[in-house]
Amino acid sequence: MALAGLLLFGLLVFLFSPSSNAVSTVTQHSQHPLSPPTTPFQKAPSGKRPPPPVVHYHMNNLTTTPDPVSNQENVLILTPLARFYQGYWDNLLALSYPHSLISLGFITPKTREGNAATAALQAAIAKTQNGPEDKRFASISILRQDFDPPISSQDEAERHKKENQKARRSAMSRARNSLLFTTIGPYTSWVLWLDADVVESHPSLIQDLTAYDKPVIVPNCFQRYKNDKGQWDVRPYDYNSWQDSQTAADLAKNMEPDDILLEGYADLATYRTLMAKLADTSEGRDEKLVIPLDGVGGTALLVKAEVHRDGAMFPPFAFYHLMETEGFAKMARRLGWSCWGLPNYFVSL
C-alpha cells in the first residue's frame, strides 16, 4: 500500500512540475517601437502554421501632452538626408529627451553622395547603438529613395535656384511622404522633422516645443556664416514660415492651376510677413513668444502625430499654389489644425 502511494505521488510530480524544455503555448509577439507586432510564421510540429495575431490599438489612449516625458510619449524624428554631418548626429545625441522614447527615420537618395551619406550614417548608428544604453535610440530606420533626384548637386546655390524649385520641392515632398508613411507607428505621439544640416539646438528642443501643446509648431532657423570682416555671424535662413498677405492671395488668383508661389525671390514679391524677419536676436529676447502662421518651413518642424494621421501630408503637386512644407501647412489648416511659430527661439545650421 505504501509503495502504491509513493508511485502515485511520483506520477503527479512528473505530470505537473515545470520543465525547462516545455514549449510555451502563449503566443509571443515581437515588439517594435514603430511597426505593429507580428509573429513569425513558424510551422508547428504538425506542419501547420498557427494563425497570425489580431492586435487591437486603442488610439484614443494615445496622448500628446505638454509633459511628454512624464507621460512616456514616443517621438519620431524624421530626416531626409543627402549628406551626413557629424554635427547633426552630435546634436541628436545631445537631446535630453529620453532616447528610449525616440525613434529615428532617414531617407537617402540613390546617388553617389547618397551612398556616402548612408555609409557614414550607418557607422554613426553602429557606434551609438552599441554604446551606453542611455544614448541608444528606441529604433532606427533607413530608407533609400525609389526615384531619381531632379537635380544632381546638393550645393546650396544649385538647390535654391528658382527654376529648380518646383521639381526639387516635388521630390522632397515624395521623400518626406515615403519616410512618414513607412515609419509612423501606432505608438507615435509626436513627429519632429529635422533637416540633416541642423547642427545646433537646445538639448531640450523636444520638451521646449511640446510644452506649447500646438498641433504644428516651428522654431526660427538661422545659418552661421562668415561676414565681410571674416567673422562668424548669423543670418535668417528658412523663409517658408510666414503669415499670408493680400498680395500673395492676389498673385495666386492670376496663376495657372499648377503654378506655385515661392518666397525669397525678388521677382515674385509676395509681401508676406516672414517669421525669419521678426526675430529678436538680443540676449534678453522673449524665447517663448508664439505667433500664428499660415506657412511653415521644415528645418525643424514639430507635428502632433494625429495631424499626419488625419491626412496632412506634403503635397508633391500644387496645392492652393503651395508645395512641400508650405503645402502641408495649408492642408493641415484645411483639416482644422492650426500652425504656430517661435520667432525668438532658434535652431542653427
Side-chain angles (χ1 to χ4, degrees):
M1 188 69 177
L3 179 61
L6 183 61
L7 291 174
L8 178 61
F9 176 76
L11 179 63
L12 291 174
V13 170
F14 175 78
L15 290 175
F16 294 104
S17 63
S19 171
S20 59
N21 296 322
V23 178
S24 172
T25 58
V26 179
T27 301
Q28 298 295 322
H29 296 170
S30 60
Q31 295 292 333
H32 190 278
L34 295 176
S35 303
T38 57
T39 297
F41 289 100
Q42 297 177 343
K43 288 186 177 180
S46 62
K48 295 182 179 180
R49 291 180 176 178
V54 176
V55 184
H56 296 263
Y57 296 101
H58 298 282
M59 303 303 288
N60 287 336
N61 295 336
L62 192 65
T63 62
T64 48
T65 66
D67 188 9
V69 176
S70 297
N71 292 307
Q72 296 286 287
E73 294 170 2
N74 292 290
V75 177
L76 174 62
I77 300 179
L78 298 179
T79 299
L81 188 141
R83 288 179 177 176
F84 177 81
Y85 296 97
Q86 186 61 44
Y88 161 86
W89 190 257
D90 293 341
N91 193 57
L92 277 186
L93 293 179
L95 291 175
S96 61
Y97 198 83
H99 288 200
S100 60
L101 297 175
I102 298 177
S103 293
L104 306 179
F106 303 91
I107 187 167
T108 61
K110 296 190 303 178
T111 62
R112 182 176 298 178
E113 282 186 316
N115 293 339
T118 303
L121 173 63
Q122 289 179 147
I125 290 172
K127 183 177 180 180
T128 297
Q129 298 299 84
N130 287 290
E133 288 194 18
D134 63 332
K135 291 295 184 182
R136 298 176 188 175
F137 296 100
S139 71
I140 302 177
S141 302
I142 303 176
L143 280 63
R144 298 304 302 269
Q145 288 179 193
D146 56 355
F147 56 89
D148 295 323
I151 57 175
S152 57
S153 174
Q154 285 298 313
D155 291 335
E156 187 173 326
E158 191 69 21
R159 287 189 292 120
H160 290 287
K161 283 184 179 178
K162 183 181 176 183
E163 59 268 26
N164 290 335
Q165 289 311 295
K166 189 172 182 180
R168 175 179 169 271
R169 294 190 182 192
S170 177
M172 278 297 300
S173 294
R174 293 174 62 191
R176 288 185 187 275
N177 291 334
S178 294
L179 183 56
L180 173 66
F181 298 150
T182 305
T183 57
I184 192 169
Y187 299 113
T188 304
S189 292
W190 301 89
V191 179
L192 175 62
W193 293 93
L194 199 63
D195 275 2
D197 46 4
V198 173
V199 296
E200 185 178 346
S201 67
H202 292 289
S204 57
L205 175 66
I206 295 174
Q207 297 95 312
D208 294 345
L209 297 184
T210 55
Y212 292 89
D213 199 22
K214 301 296 188 184
V216 179
I217 192 166
V218 289
N220 220 338
C221 179
F222 273 59
Q223 183 183 47
R224 294 194 179 279
Y225 76 107
K226 284 190 175 181
N227 58 27
D228 296 337
K229 298 178 180 179
Q231 299 173 335
W232 283 104
D233 203 346
V234 294
R235 60 189 174 193
Y237 180 78
D238 195 341
Y239 289 172
N240 294 334
S241 297
W242 40 258
Q243 295 171 338
D244 218 343
S245 68
Q246 187 57 50
T247 301
D250 292 340
L251 285 171
K253 289 179 182 178
N254 298 316
M255 285 183 161
E256 295 296 323
D258 291 334
D259 292 339
I260 60 172
L261 286 165
L262 300 169
E263 284 304 322
Y265 299 93
D267 59 340
L268 192 62
T270 63
Y271 298 102
R272 289 166 171 159
T273 300
L274 305 180
M275 187 172 76
K277 299 294 187 180
L278 298 179
D280 177 3
T281 56
S282 67
E283 290 187 5
R285 64 182 180 273
D286 179 11
E287 287 193 342
K288 294 185 178 180
L289 177 66
V290 59
I291 62 174
L293 294 175
D294 298 301
V296 297
T299 307
L301 168 65
L302 184 74
V303 183
K304 288 189 175 184
E306 58 191 306
V307 177
H308 282 313
R309 290 193 184 98
D310 272 3
M313 52 82 165
F314 302 91
F317 49 84
F319 182 74
Y320 290 87
H321 304 291
L322 302 169
M323 294 181 77
E324 208 210 342
T325 58
E326 295 167 304
F328 159 76
K330 184 69 172 183
M331 193 172 293
R333 294 177 72 248
R334 292 285 295 170
L335 287 166
W337 300 102
S338 56
C339 300
W340 301 84
L342 301 171
N344 299 333
Y345 183 98
F346 304 138
V347 299
S348 300
L349 307 183

Short mmCIF file of all heavy atoms in Angstrom, two decimals, residues 7 72 117 125 172 212 312:
data_model
loop_
_atom_site.label_atom_id
_atom_site.label_comp_id
_atom_site.label_asym_id
_atom_site.label_seq_id
_atom_site.Cartn_x
_atom_site.Cartn_y
_atom_site.Cartn_z
N LEU A 7 4.34 5.58 -5.63
CA LEU A 7 4.31 5.62 -7.10
C LEU A 7 3.33 6.67 -7.61
O LEU A 7 3.61 7.39 -8.58
CB LEU A 7 3.96 4.24 -7.65
CG LEU A 7 5.02 3.16 -7.47
CD1 LEU A 7 4.47 1.80 -7.93
CD2 LEU A 7 6.27 3.52 -8.28
N GLN A 72 5.43 59.45 -20.97
CA GLN A 72 6.10 58.42 -21.77
C GLN A 72 5.62 58.42 -23.22
O GLN A 72 5.28 57.38 -23.80
CB GLN A 72 5.87 57.04 -21.14
CG GLN A 72 6.49 56.86 -19.76
CD GLN A 72 8.00 56.73 -19.82
OE1 GLN A 72 8.52 55.69 -20.23
NE2 GLN A 72 8.71 57.77 -19.42
N ALA A 117 26.56 59.23 -47.77
CA ALA A 117 25.81 59.65 -46.60
C ALA A 117 25.28 58.45 -45.83
O ALA A 117 25.32 58.41 -44.59
CB ALA A 117 24.67 60.58 -47.00
N ILE A 125 25.46 55.21 -36.45
CA ILE A 125 24.43 54.43 -35.78
C ILE A 125 25.03 53.25 -35.03
O ILE A 125 24.70 52.98 -33.87
CB ILE A 125 23.38 53.94 -36.80
CG1 ILE A 125 22.54 55.11 -37.32
CG2 ILE A 125 22.48 52.86 -36.19
CD1 ILE A 125 21.62 54.75 -38.46
N MET A 172 11.19 66.44 -52.85
CA MET A 172 11.30 66.47 -51.39
C MET A 172 9.99 66.02 -50.74
O MET A 172 10.00 65.30 -49.73
CB MET A 172 11.66 67.87 -50.92
CG MET A 172 13.13 68.18 -50.99
SD MET A 172 14.13 67.12 -49.91
CE MET A 172 13.43 67.50 -48.31
N TYR A 212 4.24 73.81 -25.68
CA TYR A 212 3.20 74.73 -26.18
C TYR A 212 1.90 74.00 -26.52
O TYR A 212 0.87 74.63 -26.73
CB TYR A 212 3.72 75.49 -27.40
CG TYR A 212 4.83 76.45 -27.07
CD1 TYR A 212 6.16 76.04 -27.10
CD2 TYR A 212 4.57 77.76 -26.71
CE1 TYR A 212 7.20 76.91 -26.78
CE2 TYR A 212 5.59 78.65 -26.41
CZ TYR A 212 6.90 78.22 -26.43
OH TYR A 212 7.91 79.08 -26.10
N ALA A 312 -2.86 65.08 -43.25
CA ALA A 312 -1.99 66.20 -43.63
C ALA A 312 -0.62 65.65 -44.01
O ALA A 312 0.11 65.16 -43.17
CB ALA A 312 -1.88 67.20 -42.49
#
